[in-house]
Amino acid sequence: MEKSSKEEESSDEDGGNLEDGEVELTSGYRGRTTHTSGEHLGQRSGPEPTGGDSCEGHTEKDSSCDPSILQSPCSSPHSSSILPPSSSSSSSSALCLTPPLPPEVELSAILTDTSLTLDVYLGGAAVVPLLWDSNPERLKKLQYLRLGSEDQTGLDSSLDVLQHLTALRSLAIRGHCFHDSRGDPLPGLVTNLPASFSSLSNLVHLDLSFNQLSFLPPSLLQLRSLSSLLLCHNHLSHLPPDVGRLSSLRFLSLLGNKLVSLPSSMGQIQALESLDVSYNNLQELPDEIGSLEQLVKLELSHNKLTQLPESMGFLRSLRELIIYSNDLRLIPPCVNNLPHLKIDARDNPLGKPPTPPPLPVAPDQTKKRIPELHLRFNQHSFCVSLAGCHVFIPGGAELVFPPGCLMKNTRLKWAWRKPERKWVCLEEHDVLLSRPLELCPHGVTFIKPVEVCVPYHRARKGSEVVVRTFDRQSWSTLCTERRKGSDSHSRRRTARLACCSVSHFSWFIVVSRPARDSCSVTAAGALLVSSCDPGIKLTFPPDSTVQTRSITLQVLQVSVQDVRDLCGDPEARVSPLLCLTQNPSLHFLEQVKVQIPLPSGVTGHTVDLSCLHLFHGDPAAQTWADVTSQVSLCVTHLYAVFYVTHFSWYWLWYTTQRCVSGVVRKVYQKLKQFRVRFLVLQRKTDPSQVLLQCLPDTLVDNRVQSLSQKYDGPQPSDLCDLLEGEQFFAGFERGLDVTTDRPDCIEGRLCFVFYSAMNNLKEVYICAAQGHKGSVRGQVSFYRGDVPAEFPEEVSRRRKGPDKQWLTTLPLRLPARNSENTFIIEENQYPPLNLGDPETGYLTEANLLSISLQIGHDWRVIGIHLGLSYAELDRIQYKNRDNLEALVLDMLFLWAQRRGGPGGVARLVAAMIESGRTDVAEEIQDIVDIGKRKYCESLRKVGLEAESSAHRETQQEATPTLSTDS
């Protein structure tokens, strides 16, 4: 009891500092203190006890506040007491509850005739057994009880008493009512309820939130009058099958548990009006949930639901459905048809197709030890054994044959093909990113899938990369995974690979196309949202189709400036171009709602509807029709909405001029044309190697600048107009021949096929015609090929000149051959140079040449110590990447020309010492000493040694001496 007395004394001291109208509440022996206005805590309103009513001079032994005994009115003025209306009442007695209640708080602040609130005091649950021992009859009349569940001892004692409080109508035993010293909430400790809990037959409201229930206590199912049950933030992983016995429930909250399913008996709770099972792990709902005819609000957010049961269409009373943050791709039409229903479906992949299964993981070569086979350019066949093989094809392609993919050892073949029409199948706005790779024999069947990886060029931003193959009847698109190639197969840089798993061999190409969004539409309807622009949506109403259809949506962004330049209207604006396809291609039974953003700079408040036009494109006929008057075009603030019954291309235009279909057709065709220029460049280190390239006009300058360090050549050609898929040729004329051993050489010319990627890059070796020994001047001519048969007649008619029209002719020069029939390459010439001065010694050009032979691969470190920048060293390395001697000389002469003058030799010696090349520094010092000795001898001969001695000493001090430790 010594502890209680000390706490009372501490309370007396603290209480004297309180302001009027405040009572300090101290959480008993736990040491927690809060200040709260007295009117909220039921502070005493009667007169304060006088001195005669207090027990002065009492001792701890005879007047201690034992929680288990009743005290007389003669108690401490700060102790808890039940005070009668008048101080003379003798029928009321006071109970001291310090602890577990703070000494400043009266019992009347927490206890009334029908309610007892103990969840505002830490450890307050221990009050219940004390009150039961002192006045059980009064406690039996309680109807509302609130307990904290953070104290295990007090909680267990309270649960034992609860069976006697049969008049209870509302009971709350919650955790997280209090916090520890670090500010973390204290968890509730309820893990079960005693069997005697079923005696609370009048209980209507029960709150057991923030506890540790892992199952629903059986005694709770006996409470047939229960209408509100809160079990939030427990550890429930399942509900009992007979949970339907709680037939009077109107409100049930299971938020924040671990439920993976709901029992079918939930449908028996016919009175349920609000159900909250959010923040669980539910993957599906029982069909019986449709029996809850009185349900008004259903919260299912933050689960793992993939579909909603059709039975939810019977929930006619449902007003609010919260299903955000799930994996729902379709909302059943029966749910959409519910009257007065408000749905929150955020963060769901609505309208998107199911996520395809991941590609098989490439075999781990280190674990399975699949042998590697690196082929050469002249090796066009290889053998695969039963153990499998990882084949590296020249050009960057890789083939992975897993063990057991073949029944016997098999010889296979490969070949790179030219991008001709018979090898390539492209759709509208597709871009070819690779050469066709042919793998033979065609049709060979593998027991296990074989991984084919084709290298490709960089794709446009916002597009997707896929591999296409030919199955002898049609081209098909394969499930593609992009990754980097093996480092062991890359000589310069790691290749980009498009990988797919195949079961047979054929032709393979890599194509870039506008990103595709697809979904399956059933009779129930669907919603498809573009991944490129969330503002583009397709809404398929119920009964719009009988059979299931596959829908594909592509969005092509169009530059507004290009449209303005082509149509001549400075006010023209366009929306993205929509490409809609379906399979099967049949008209929809109900109109499909299409939402598309308004053209940039146009809003619903400022738009002039007379200038807004919707165009329908026919890709087969290459025509565009104005269908604005044929559809119901609605404009919101940001979007335009219209309804269609069949799919094709749709394009929204805003223009102040008279807009006709011919203008749109002209613009669309122009967008598929490219203004290009041609380059012919010779490699400086090997003039017989020539680079041929076709580039867009906007990229020519940057490309020429980047190649200037490696290549020389004439100016680029003039502008030329080319269409996607158009062929052109490069031929060598006037005595120049293309090496005949190249597989892409046909009758002395190289063939290109132009695609919008513009990666038409060829490096070929050329030589003078046989018999020519001197320098040869010639030219490279570019000219068009035949017009592809698939091109529209009107496009072909617009071309000027014959089909074999010359595009450009660029001159080319080869150096002369020497006696060994090799090209004579001019040596690098350096100007005469004297570094230093006669008094301190000097280095000549011959000296630097001899020194450069000893520097070798340390040239970069020495250059840094000489003060050259990293950029200068990189340029030197790039220019002389194949010639180490020229590289070192360039570095030395660049520094010498910049430094020059007195002191240069000392700086060079110091740089050699700092770079760890003391041997070179010693040789330089020897050359300098010889020069100084010769200079002194010449002075002595002419009698000038005395007057220059002081100057020589000064210069000698400036020259660094070599240390043997270096």
Side-chain angles (χ1 to χ4, degrees):
M1 302 309 296
E2 180 180 357
K3 181 177 181 180
S4 299
S5 300
K6 291 182 179 180
E7 288 176 350
E8 290 181 5
E9 294 173 2
S10 176
S11 300
D12 290 342
E13 295 176 359
D14 296 338
N17 298 327
L18 295 177
E19 297 179 1
D20 294 340
E22 283 193 345
V23 175
E24 182 181 40
L25 302 182
T26 305
S27 301
Y29 51 90
R30 301 294 180 106
R32 175 187 167 106
T33 303
T34 59
H35 295 274
T36 312
S37 175
E39 62 180 349
H40 296 291
L41 301 175
Q43 69 183 62
R44 289 176 299 213
S45 58
E48 289 289 326
T50 61
D53 293 333
S54 62
C55 297
E56 297 180 359
H58 66 278
T59 63
E60 179 182 346
K61 181 176 181 180
D62 57 13
S63 62
S64 62
C65 294
D66 193 332
S68 63
I69 62 173
L70 292 175
Q71 297 289 335
S72 64
C74 181
S75 61
S76 172
H78 297 287
S79 62
S80 300
S81 60
I82 304 177
L83 296 179
S86 63
S87 60
S88 60
S89 175
S90 60
S91 60
S92 298
S93 60
L95 176 64
C96 180
L97 299 177
T98 304
L101 287 184
E104 299 85 0
V105 180
E106 296 181 354
L107 193 59
S108 59
I110 59 173
L111 178 63
T112 65
D113 292 338
T114 59
S115 66
L116 177 59
T117 304
L118 298 173
D119 59 352
V120 293
Y121 312 109
L122 192 62
V127 172
V128 175
L130 300 181
L131 293 177
W132 176 256
D133 293 339
S134 63
N135 196 347
E137 294 301 326
R138 182 174 183 180
L139 218 59
K140 286 182 179 180
K141 298 178 182 180
L142 285 180
Q143 297 184 18
Y144 308 97
L145 176 60
R146 297 183 62 89
L147 302 175
S149 58
E150 75 289 339
D151 178 53
Q152 189 67 57
T153 304
L155 177 63
D156 293 340
S157 302
S158 297
L159 291 178
D160 292 339
V161 175
L162 286 181
Q163 60 180 318
H164 305 292
L165 310 182
T166 55
L168 277 180
R169 294 180 54 83
S170 175
L171 174 62
I173 311 177
R174 294 170 56 94
H176 283 201
C177 294
F178 306 96
H179 298 75
D180 58 16
S181 57
R182 296 177 299 179
D184 297 329
L186 295 174
L189 303 179
V190 177
T191 58
N192 196 3
L193 296 177
S196 59
F197 194 81
S198 59
S199 62
L200 305 180
S201 57
N202 293 320
L203 198 62
V204 176
H205 173 270
L206 178 61
D207 187 355
L208 299 175
S209 303
F210 297 101
N211 281 286
Q212 301 182 29
L213 293 172
S214 58
F215 60 92
L216 203 63
S219 58
L220 193 150
L221 299 177
Q222 306 295 327
L223 306 177
R224 302 299 177 86
S225 300
L226 199 62
S227 65
S228 180
L229 177 60
L230 290 84
L231 300 172
C232 310
H233 299 286
N234 278 274
H235 305 297
L236 298 173
S237 58
H238 64 279
L239 297 178
D242 54 346
V243 70
R245 295 166 59 182
L246 298 173
S247 56
S248 299
L249 271 184
R250 297 175 58 189
F251 180 88
L252 175 61
S253 178
L254 297 165
L255 179 147
N257 282 275
K258 302 178 181 179
L259 297 173
V260 295
S261 63
L262 296 178
S264 58
S265 61
M266 287 285 294
Q268 301 175 13
I269 312 178
Q270 297 288 331
L272 197 61
E273 297 178 1
S274 178
L275 175 61
D276 186 354
V277 287
S278 55
Y279 290 90
N280 280 277
N281 297 320
L282 296 177
Q283 299 180 1
E284 60 179 359
L285 297 177
D287 291 335
E288 288 76 8
I289 199 171
S291 302
L292 303 177
E293 298 179 356
Q294 303 299 322
L295 195 63
V296 175
K297 183 177 181 180
L298 177 58
E299 297 192 35
L300 303 169
S301 62
H302 289 278
N303 279 283
K304 300 179 180 179
L305 297 174
T306 58
Q307 61 181 359
L308 299 177
E310 296 287 341
S311 60
M312 289 183 62
F314 297 104
L315 302 177
R316 297 296 177 181
S317 300
L318 194 61
R319 295 293 183 271
E320 189 173 358
L321 177 60
I322 302 175
I323 54 175
Y324 64 84
S325 298
N326 278 279
D327 196 21
L328 296 171
R329 301 179 185 272
L330 176 67
I331 298 178
C334 58
V335 176
N336 285 322
N337 293 334
L338 290 175
H340 311 297
L341 178 61
K342 179 181 178 182
I343 303 178
D344 187 351
R346 295 169 294 155
D347 298 330
N348 279 284
L350 294 174
K352 294 186 178 180
T355 304
L359 288 174
V361 180
D364 191 337
Q365 302 174 14
T366 59
K367 294 182 179 179
K368 296 186 178 181
R369 296 181 180 179
I370 298 179
E372 292 186 357
L373 178 60
H374 295 263
L375 302 178
R376 298 180 180 179
F377 278 100
N378 57 353
Q379 292 180 288
H380 289 274
S381 64
F382 56 93
C383 186
V384 178
S385 64
L386 301 180
C389 189
H390 190 170
V391 182
F392 296 90
I393 296 178
E398 299 181 19
L399 307 176
V400 180
F401 298 88
C405 65
L406 292 168
M407 296 292 295
K408 59 181 180 179
N409 295 351
T410 306
R411 179 162 291 275
L412 305 174
K413 299 180 180 180
W414 68 274
W416 289 112
R417 299 298 183 184
K418 294 183 298 182
E420 298 178 357
R421 285 287 175 175
K422 61 181 179 180
W423 310 117
V424 177
C425 178
L426 293 181
E427 300 176 1
E428 287 289 339
H429 311 295
D430 285 354
V431 174
L432 183 65
L433 300 181
S434 72
R435 289 179 294 170
L437 174 63
E438 183 181 10
L439 300 176
C440 299
H442 292 189
V444 60
T445 303
F446 301 103
I447 301 175
K448 296 180 181 180
V450 174
E451 187 178 39
V452 177
C453 298
V454 184
Y456 66 93
H457 298 286
R458 184 187 301 273
R460 293 179 298 183
K461 185 178 181 180
S463 61
E464 59 181 356
V465 175
V466 294
V467 177
R468 285 191 181 147
T469 185
F470 188 69
D471 59 1
R472 296 187 177 183
Q473 295 182 355
S474 61
W475 285 87
S476 59
T477 301
L478 303 176
C479 186
T480 307
E481 178 187 12
R482 291 186 287 178
R483 60 180 176 86
K484 292 185 178 181
S486 302
D487 295 334
S488 60
H489 190 38
S490 177
R491 294 182 179 179
R492 295 183 179 179
R493 60 182 180 183
T494 305
R496 304 181 187 90
L497 297 180
C499 302
C500 58
S501 296
V502 300
S503 58
H504 67 277
F505 273 175
S506 182
W507 294 276
F508 299 91
I509 60 174
V510 182
V511 172
S512 171
R513 66 185 184 186
R516 294 192 174 190
D517 301 293
S518 59
C519 71
S520 296
V521 180
T522 63
L527 174 66
L528 179 58
V529 181
S530 170
S531 59
C532 299
D533 189 342
I536 300 177
K537 300 179 182 179
L538 304 179
T539 305
F540 301 88
D543 301 325
S544 59
T545 180
V546 176
Q547 69 275 46
T548 301
R549 304 192 190 193
S550 178
I551 305 298
T552 301
L553 166 64
Q554 287 180 287
V555 178
L556 185 65
Q557 300 292 339
V558 181
S559 171
V560 175
Q561 188 60 44
D562 291 344
V563 173
R564 291 177 177 177
D565 295 341
L566 293 174
C567 69
D569 182 6
E571 300 298 328
R573 298 179 177 90
V574 294
S575 70
L577 175 60
L578 302 188
C579 301
L580 308 178
T581 57
Q582 59 170 330
N583 185 22
S585 181
L586 300 173
H587 281 43
F588 291 96
L589 303 179
E590 299 288 342
Q591 289 187 336
V592 178
K593 178 183 176 182
V594 181
Q595 175 182 295
I596 183 173
L598 289 171
S600 59
V602 178
T603 64
H605 298 302
T606 61
V607 64
D608 183 356
L609 295 180
S610 63
C611 300
L612 197 63
H613 301 266
L614 179 66
F615 290 93
H616 169 271
D618 187 346
Q622 295 286 328
T623 59
W624 288 89
D626 190 343
V627 296
T628 310
S629 59
Q630 303 174 19
V631 299
S632 177
L633 187 62
C634 303
V635 177
T636 65
H637 181 64
L638 296 176
Y639 303 102
V641 179
F642 58 93
Y643 297 84
V644 297
T645 57
H646 64 283
F647 277 173
S648 185
W649 295 352
Y650 294 95
W651 205 357
L652 192 64
W653 276 53
Y654 185 83
T655 177
T656 58
Q657 296 182 357
R658 183 179 180 184
C659 188
V660 294
S661 302
V663 176
V664 179
R665 183 170 63 252
K666 174 184 176 182
V667 170
Y668 180 74
Q669 292 298 336
K670 284 291 186 179
L671 290 175
K672 297 177 64 178
Q673 292 182 347
F674 297 85
R675 299 181 65 81
V676 299
R677 299 170 73 182
F678 296 95
L679 296 180
V680 176
L681 302 174
Q682 285 181 280
R683 185 182 287 272
K684 293 180 180 179
T685 57
D686 185 4
S688 64
Q689 188 172 359
V690 176
L691 171 73
L692 306 179
Q693 192 167 12
C694 169
L695 285 174
D697 179 46
T698 56
L699 303 180
V700 170
D701 294 338
N702 292 336
R703 182 63 173 168
V704 171
Q705 184 178 1
S706 65
L707 295 175
S708 62
Q709 298 293 333
K710 295 171 55 179
Y711 293 89
D712 283 329
Q715 293 295 320
S717 72
D718 295 332
L719 284 176
C720 306
D721 289 332
L722 291 179
L723 293 172
E724 288 187 18
E726 188 171 5
Q727 281 190 334
F728 63 91
F729 296 88
F732 296 92
E733 311 293 337
R734 297 188 183 178
L736 298 180
D737 290 334
V738 182
T739 51
T740 55
D741 58 344
R742 293 187 61 87
D744 52 4
C745 174
I746 302 176
E747 299 179 355
R749 65 182 184 179
L750 297 177
C751 174
F752 297 79
V753 177
F754 172 72
Y755 291 99
S756 56
M758 300 188 187
N759 291 306
N760 299 297
L761 175 64
K762 295 283 185 179
E763 281 191 292
V764 299
Y765 285 88
I766 64 174
C767 59
Q770 294 295 330
H772 287 278
K773 295 298 183 181
S775 298
V776 177
R777 293 181 181 273
Q779 63 188 24
V780 178
S781 298
F782 295 87
Y783 53 95
R784 289 191 175 109
D786 296 330
V787 179
E790 296 83 356
F791 270 25
E793 181 180 355
E794 61 177 6
V795 178
S796 303
R797 194 165 52 244
R798 291 175 181 274
R799 296 179 57 181
K800 298 179 181 180
D803 291 339
K804 301 293 185 178
Q805 177 185 4
W806 298 101
L807 296 180
T808 183
T809 298
L810 299 179
L812 187 66
R813 179 182 179 275
L814 290 182
R817 296 174 179 268
N818 55 20
S819 58
E820 299 177 356
N821 200 29
T822 58
F823 292 107
I824 300 175
I825 302 177
E826 296 181 356
E827 298 290 341
N828 290 325
Q829 299 296 330
Y830 299 96
L833 176 69
N834 287 335
L835 184 64
D837 57 82
E839 292 188 6
T840 61
Y842 58 89
L843 297 176
T844 64
E845 177 184 354
N847 298 143
L848 289 182
L849 289 175
S850 63
I851 293 171
S852 67
L853 298 177
Q854 305 180 45
I855 290 178
H857 294 282
D858 295 329
W859 70 274
R860 194 176 184 89
V861 178
I862 295 172
I864 293 174
H865 287 121
L866 286 174
L868 298 182
S869 66
Y870 288 96
E872 292 173 333
L873 296 175
D874 289 339
R875 282 196 295 269
I876 293 173
Q877 184 177 14
Y878 191 79
K879 181 180 178 181
N880 306 283
R881 58 192 307 175
D882 300 325
N883 192 337
L884 179 61
E885 180 181 354
L887 187 148
V888 177
L889 284 175
D890 267 7
M891 183 270 295
L892 287 177
F893 276 86
L894 176 63
W895 168 78
Q897 292 171 1
R898 180 182 303 173
R899 183 65 176 83
V905 175
R907 177 64 261 175
L908 182 61
V909 172
M912 294 298 176
I913 297 175
E914 293 169 359
S915 304
R917 295 304 303 268
T918 309
D919 55 334
V920 180
E922 290 175 350
E923 180 174 347
I924 297 174
Q925 192 69 56
D926 292 338
I927 296 174
V928 171
D929 291 340
I930 294 174
K932 288 192 296 184
R933 201 163 44 243
K934 291 180 178 180
Y935 180 71
C936 292
E937 291 176 359
S938 63
L939 291 179
R940 190 166 47 249
K941 291 178 181 180
V942 297
L944 299 176
E945 182 180 12
E947 63 183 70
S948 61
S949 59
H951 183 63
R952 288 201 307 270
E953 291 175 0
T954 304
Q955 294 294 337
Q956 288 175 358
E957 292 175 0
T959 304
T961 58
L962 300 178
S963 172
T964 55
D965 296 337
S966 300

